[in-house]
Structures are given as C-alpha cells and as structure tokens.
Amino acid sequence: MSPTSSSATSISPGPADLPVVVVGAGPIGLAAAAHLRSRGVAHLVLEAGEGPGAAVAEWGHVRLFSPWRELVDPVARELLLERGWEPPHPDRYPTGARWVDDYLRPLAEVLAPSVRYGARVTAVARHGRDRLVSSGRDRSAFTLHLRTSTGTEHLAARAVVDATGTWGTPNPLGGDGVVALGERESADRIGYRVPDLDQAVQRSRFAGRHVVVAGTGASAKGALLALTALAESEPGTTITWLVRRSRVGAAFAGSGQDELPQRGALGQLARAAVDRGPVTTRTGFRTAEVRRRDDDRLDLVAFDGQVVEGVDEVLALTGFRPDLGWTDELRLDLDPVLQAPRALAPLIDPNEHSCGTVYPHGVAELAQPEVGYYPVGMKSYGRATSFLALTGFEQTRSVAAALAGDHEAAARVELTLPDTGVCGGAGTFDDETATDGGCCGAPAVEVLSIGGVGTR
C-alpha cells in the first residue's frame, strides 16, 4: 500500500476506499494492525523509527513488570502461530529488548506489507479543512502530513488510530510541570530515561560523579538501584534524590503488596538501597532553576530556595505526557487534568485507580468529536500511569471492530481482569529457567506504563 502523491490535489475527499492509518509500530500499534487485518480492513502503519518497537528498543535494558502471558495480543498470537512462531514461556518477565526481538519484530514481519518505517507524522487534519470548518467534516478524509528521508508528503486516510504513546515527550525537571530556568541550556547534563550502566559509555558518564535523581516512580527507583550498585564499585559516586513530596514514605507505598509483584519488589529494593547507599534525600524539592557554575558543574535551585550544589549529572525521571501538537487541527474532547479522552479519564485517574482497578474499555470511551480518530495505548491515558498492555490490546480489538462495522463486537468487553488486577504474578526472568522462581533478579526494572509506547 503506497501513499498518495505529495500534491494536495491528489487527495480524494471520499474516505470509503481509503485505508485506516495506524500511527506507531509499537506493541499497541502492531496489535491494532493485527486486528484490522483479521477483519479485512485496509490499513497502513506509519512508524517514525527504522524498525518495529523503536521506542521500546530505547529502553531495551529495562525489564517489564508483566510476564509474557500479558504482553502478547491474542489475535497477533494466532497470526504468529500460523507461521510457526514459538511463544516465550508465559511466566517469564522479558526486558524491552526481548519484547522487541521475540514478539514485535516477528509480528511486524507478518504485517510487513502494511508497515512503513521512517515516516514521521507531523500533523493530521481533515482534507482541506482546519478545525473551524464544520461543513462536510465527518465525511471528509484525514490528511496526514509526513516527513521522511526523501522529503515531505501527504497521505489520505479514512480513520486514524493514534498509537504514538508518550515516550517521546518526557516531563521536564521543572517542579511546576514547566521546563526549569536553565534546563534547556544544560541539556548535555540532564537525562530523562533510566541509563544502561552496563554500557561503558554510560557507565563512565556517571561513575565517580555526583548524580541527582528526580522523581519517585518506578524509573527513579530503578535508577537509584543501578546507581547505588555503581557506587559500590566506583568510589566517589554520590547520589542526591529529589522528592517533591514532603515525605519519602509515599514513594515506597505498596511495596510487598503491589498488584504487580515485580513493582512491589522494586520498591522494597529501592528502600534498602537508599537506606544503605551513598544517597542524600531532599524532600519537598521542586526545581525552579538550573544554574551552570564556573567549574561547569550544576546547582539546582528549588522554588522554596533549597539548593543542591556541585551536580555533575541529572536524571529527571518524572514521567511522560502525550504530544498533542500534531493533532492540533482535530476536534478533541480531552480531560483538562489528565489529557486523556474525557469519557475515559474517570476510569484511569491515578488518584482513584491502579492498573488492576481500571475497567476494561474500548471504542465508546475512546471516541472523539473528530469522528474516525482514536487514541489508543499509552497515548489514550494522557498523563495517567500504570498502563497495561492487555488494556491496550482490548482497546484495539474494540476500535478495529467498530471500523469494520461490527458495532456489537465493538461494544462487547472481552477482557476480564481477575481480582489480582491482571498485573502480573509469580514468574521468572527471561534469562532464568521456568522453575527457578525469583522476582527481582535485575535492578533495572520498569513499570508497564511504557509497555504501550509507540513512536512517530
């Protein structure tokens, strides 16, 4: 399936014979393609990266909190089994790299005729209409604006499934949700992802340095574990942990009783690492400014005047948010707090829900005033966390059914979350035998909130 010409006049406003375009070839985007294929719906997947699961590959060294049995879409599984695929052991916990190599890449090969790489979507709109124009809007095609290695072009679609995730838009270091003063100017010293300290280049960047870790989520805990382990072998490595809350205790809440045993174990390990390691904890610290010193080190200044001095490297692990810029010409109804679909927001509010108490949902909760546009996966959760891949698989099943005209199936809930919250259970790592047990073999563990990531 090839895109239309870059000339705007070549785009037909009649959407009936146009494909559904899925943006993002991550776990949820490829699941959407598998469901559309199973229903005979013409589709095309656009991926900004050079291969499937490009965003997942960027955190390939990190282990997921969910076992394999919760990381494979049922329809995708059937497509793979038909081609002789051998599924991984259901009770093992893979790293991001294994998720790509053992599942996403084989699935992308099956779907290959409809997956296009190196195609970044920079904007989407209705054919010849900006957001203000209502006449004939719902009957018009979507126009996707693409940037590729050969230039720019337009592509027409009858519907858009947005599986771009949030990986590309990490939250800033700034304690009020806005980039701190001097943060951009010191970008060479600030990272927004958990580093892979098994790589020599990254290890040398942090070894023997004063490192600040900002954040209290799973990424921050994983980084604290990795850095305290580094400090044991690299003298002079010191860590300052910045906690925005007034107390540290909440950062370890749920340890030992978490719906995701791996995540609970991570909390316990992080607490022990902080207690014994070279970690200085600063509570109530909301960064306002990053100052570059004459010796090229950094000072971090909080809104209340607290200062952390002589910093070599900063890890701002404060979560992610959706990129809404490229959908600016669409009519969207998003919750003002979470930036998730308004009908979905009450079901996923992290103040009220964890991954195990989110009601399975589909097209009804995802549908937007812009008929034919559906955010799925982590993108649909906005700024909420604890997204489960299984939830994304159910979303894509429902959306694909609706696009195929099977509204009864679209409205039907086919995912049942057991009392444990389908958030994982006892299992093993991919590099262990199935009978070895153990839940905490690797210090770098990541929450499944990144399990639904796609890329643009």
Side-chain angles (χ1 to χ4, degrees):
M1 192 177 300
S2 59
T4 61
S5 163
S6 60
S7 169
T9 58
S10 67
I11 298 179
S12 169
D17 58 347
L18 295 174
V20 173
V21 169
V22 179
V23 188
I28 307 305
L30 291 178
H35 282 272
L36 291 167
R37 171 174 170 150
S38 72
R39 288 183 169 274
V41 177
H43 61 280
L44 176 66
V45 181
L46 299 177
E47 167 59 51
E50 297 305 318
V56 178
E58 290 189 23
W59 49 269
H61 62 292
V62 175
R63 196 177 302 280
L64 286 96
F65 286 145
S66 290
W68 270 113
R69 64 175 178 271
E70 296 165 12
L71 299 173
V72 176
D73 175 81
V75 169
R77 176 187 175 89
E78 293 306 312
L79 286 176
L80 288 166
L81 290 175
E82 290 173 2
R83 287 155 179 78
W85 178 68
E86 294 187 10
H89 193 287
D91 291 330
R92 293 179 179 170
Y93 294 86
T95 60
R98 295 295 290 270
W99 204 13
V100 173
D101 291 342
D102 297 351
Y103 170 58
L104 297 180
R105 187 167 289 114
L107 177 57
E109 290 173 357
V110 173
L111 300 169
S114 63
V115 183
R116 181 180 174 189
Y117 301 110
R120 181 176 295 276
V121 178
T122 59
V124 60
R126 288 291 188 175
H127 175 70
R129 292 165 170 79
D130 62 25
R131 187 159 57 174
L132 295 178
V133 179
S134 297
S135 177
R137 189 175 191 89
D138 292 350
R139 298 187 301 275
S140 298
F142 289 94
T143 301
L144 291 102
H145 297 246
L146 309 185
R147 185 170 69 247
T148 70
S149 61
T150 59
T152 58
E153 60 186 72
H154 285 163
L155 178 69
R158 76 175 180 94
V160 175
V161 179
D162 182 355
T164 56
T166 59
W167 179 252
T169 46
N171 288 328
L173 176 64
D176 57 358
V178 180
V179 174
L181 297 177
E183 182 172 348
R184 289 194 178 94
E185 291 78 359
S186 296
D188 60 322
R189 297 294 184 85
I190 303 174
Y192 300 88
R193 277 89 174 181
V194 179
D196 183 359
L197 298 184
D198 287 335
Q199 292 188 10
V201 172
Q202 292 199 38
R203 186 179 182 88
S204 64
R205 176 175 177 175
F206 297 96
R209 305 294 184 89
H210 177 194
V211 184
V212 162
V213 176
T216 57
S219 294
K221 294 170 191 173
L224 287 170
L225 280 172
L227 289 168
T228 52
L230 177 66
E232 292 178 358
S233 60
E234 297 288 348
T237 305
T238 59
I239 304 124
T240 299
W241 183 26
L242 303 185
V243 179
R244 291 176 179 175
R245 302 183 180 102
S246 60
R247 299 175 57 190
V248 174
F252 302 117
S255 296
Q257 47 191 320
D258 198 294
E259 293 161 338
L260 290 162
Q262 294 285 330
R263 188 171 61 191
L266 174 62
Q268 293 177 343
L269 288 171
R271 182 194 295 272
V274 169
D275 288 344
R276 76 172 187 274
V279 180
T280 299
T281 302
R282 301 287 291 271
T283 59
F285 196 104
R286 295 179 176 270
T287 306
E289 183 178 0
V290 180
R291 295 176 181 169
R292 199 85 175 220
R293 297 166 25 143
D294 291 340
D295 62 2
D296 209 32
R297 303 176 84 192
L298 307 177
D299 289 344
L300 305 185
V301 184
F303 280 98
D304 63 1
Q306 294 186 70
V307 180
V308 176
E309 298 180 325
V311 178
D312 296 299
E313 300 289 342
V314 179
L315 291 173
L317 305 175
T318 55
F320 299 84
R321 62 182 62 180
D323 177 6
L324 301 174
W326 66 281
T327 60
D328 193 50
E329 288 305 318
L330 300 183
R331 296 177 176 181
L332 305 183
D333 184 22
L334 304 179
D335 179 78
V337 177
L338 297 183
Q339 296 180 304
R342 192 179 298 272
L344 177 59
L347 303 180
I348 62 175
D349 187 339
N351 294 306
E352 303 292 337
H353 295 281
S354 65
C355 58
T357 62
V358 173
Y359 181 77
H361 53 274
V363 69
E365 291 81 7
L366 300 171
Q368 294 294 301
E370 198 69 72
V371 177
Y373 168 81
Y374 302 98
V376 297
M378 194 64 218
K379 180 67 172 284
S380 72
Y381 269 42
R383 297 198 188 193
T385 57
S386 297
F387 174 80
L388 288 172
L390 276 180
T391 302
F393 299 155
E394 173 66 5
Q395 289 178 341
T396 59
R397 183 205 62 78
S398 177
V399 168
L403 290 171
D406 188 349
H407 300 293
E408 180 181 356
R412 188 169 59 244
V413 175
E414 295 187 0
L415 171 64
T416 301
L417 298 179
D419 291 339
T420 57
V422 73
C423 292
T428 59
F429 294 156
D430 264 353
D431 50 2
E432 296 175 345
T433 62
T435 58
D436 281 349
C439 64
C440 321
V445 188
E446 184 55 273
V447 69
L448 191 57
S449 61
I450 53 180
V453 155
T455 58
R456 284 189 287 110

